[in-house]
Amino acid sequence: MISIYTSLYNVENNLYNWKQTLSNFQLFAEQVVVATTTDCKDKTIEILSEFCQKPENSKIKLVITDHKFNDLAFDGKLKADALSYCFEPYAMLLDMDEYMPLRFKPV
């Protein structure tokens, strides 16, 4: 019933554990939508594509855009694109540095 959507870019330079965050999102949502851009300065698209193709990450939908970093609305546009791919009745925006504690997961 829930889609979680977010944006993620330049993953090679991120200091937080984005893989753990996406895995956490999958515990709570039927769908996780991640938007990124071709304007990344590293191998983000290849890294995310490989990560999303693993069977344990089947809930993740990767959305690749061509938004540019110099656009002041860059992150908002990425998140809006991610939202447009959500198909569950409820959608929740979470940033990649946010985390859902397991105590909130229904048993």
Side-chain angles (χ1 to χ4, degrees):
M1 291 192 53
I2 296 175
S3 294
I4 294 176
Y5 66 101
T6 191
S7 60
L8 183 58
Y9 42 88
N10 293 332
V11 297
E12 289 181 315
N13 298 324
N14 284 330
L15 300 178
Y16 55 86
N17 190 340
W18 59 269
K19 291 178 183 178
Q20 181 178 352
T21 301
L22 289 178
S23 296
N24 174 261
F25 290 175
Q26 291 182 90
L27 294 174
F28 293 91
E30 286 69 37
Q31 179 194 32
V32 177
V33 182
V34 180
T36 192
T37 178
T38 56
D39 202 31
C40 290
K41 307 303 180 209
D42 62 9
K43 297 178 182 177
T44 291
I45 293 174
E46 294 87 353
I47 293 168
L48 288 177
S49 294
E50 182 178 317
F51 181 78
C52 293
Q53 289 175 5
K54 294 180 180 177
E56 64 269 24
N57 298 323
S58 62
K59 292 182 178 183
I60 301 175
K61 165 72 177 163
L62 180 61
V63 177
I64 300 171
T65 72
D66 62 355
H67 299 302
K68 304 296 181 203
F69 286 112
N70 62 358
D71 183 345
L72 295 177
F74 167 75
D75 194 50
K77 288 180 178 179
L78 277 181
K79 289 174 180 163
D81 286 345
L83 176 60
S84 73
Y85 281 85
C86 293
F87 59 73
E88 294 296 332
Y90 301 99
M92 178 173 27
L93 169 63
L94 290 174
D95 287 325
M96 290 303 300
D97 60 348
E98 296 173 325
Y99 180 82
M100 304 248 333
L102 289 177
R103 69 178 178 269
F104 295 129
K105 183 174 171 34
V107 280

